[in-house]
Amino acid sequence: MIGSHAMVLAAGLGTRMQPLTLDRPKPLIEVAGRSLLDRGVDTLKRSGVTHMVVNKHYLPDQIDAWAGKRDDLDITVQDETGLLLDTGGGVAQALPLLGDDPFFVLK
């Protein structure tokens, strides 16, 4: 069974979603008044996740601000602003923060 940890990949540049991503990271695009990131995180929470690592790269201050508003979960923001790690690299860098048990990955 997958554990109570998750890696949320939020560091992408969102180039395929332009012009929507010119002023916000793709995970913060809103659909029906809620961000894609909140929708995914809420699903993880309902699945029993209590701790997650969320990476940031593009417009990182907005990811920080989002995380600061979520006081219902233990969120660690992983700073990748100086790096482009791709999907596997972001997860690999977060492994020490996620522990040894299986975890969810939300892309």
Side-chain angles (χ1 to χ4, degrees):
M1 179 173 190
I2 296 181
S4 62
H5 295 323
M7 174 71 197
V8 179
L9 299 168
L13 299 175
T15 55
R16 289 178 292 201
M17 296 293 289
Q18 288 180 354
L20 297 174
T21 57
L22 292 175
D23 64 349
R24 75 191 72 212
K26 180 174 71 173
L28 295 181
I29 291 173
E30 291 191 1
V31 175
R34 292 184 58 231
S35 74
L36 298 173
L37 189 53
D38 279 320
R39 291 175 181 279
V41 165
D42 289 345
T43 299
L44 290 169
K45 182 179 172 184
R46 285 192 303 272
S47 298
V49 170
T50 57
H51 172 256
M52 61 188 61
V53 177
V54 178
N55 64 353
K56 66 178 182 174
H57 176 80
Y58 176 64
L59 301 173
D61 294 342
Q62 292 184 35
I63 298 295
D64 288 333
W66 169 86
K69 294 176 187 173
R70 292 294 304 232
D71 59 1
D72 56 332
L73 292 162
D74 178 25
I75 298 175
T76 302
V77 178
Q78 177 172 281
D79 189 352
E80 298 175 10
T81 53
L83 310 164
L84 276 176
L85 298 176
D86 297 321
T87 301
V91 174
Q93 184 159 322
L95 287 175
L97 302 170
L98 294 166
D100 295 328
D101 294 330
F103 56 89
F104 290 97
V105 175
L106 179 66
K107 180 179 180 201

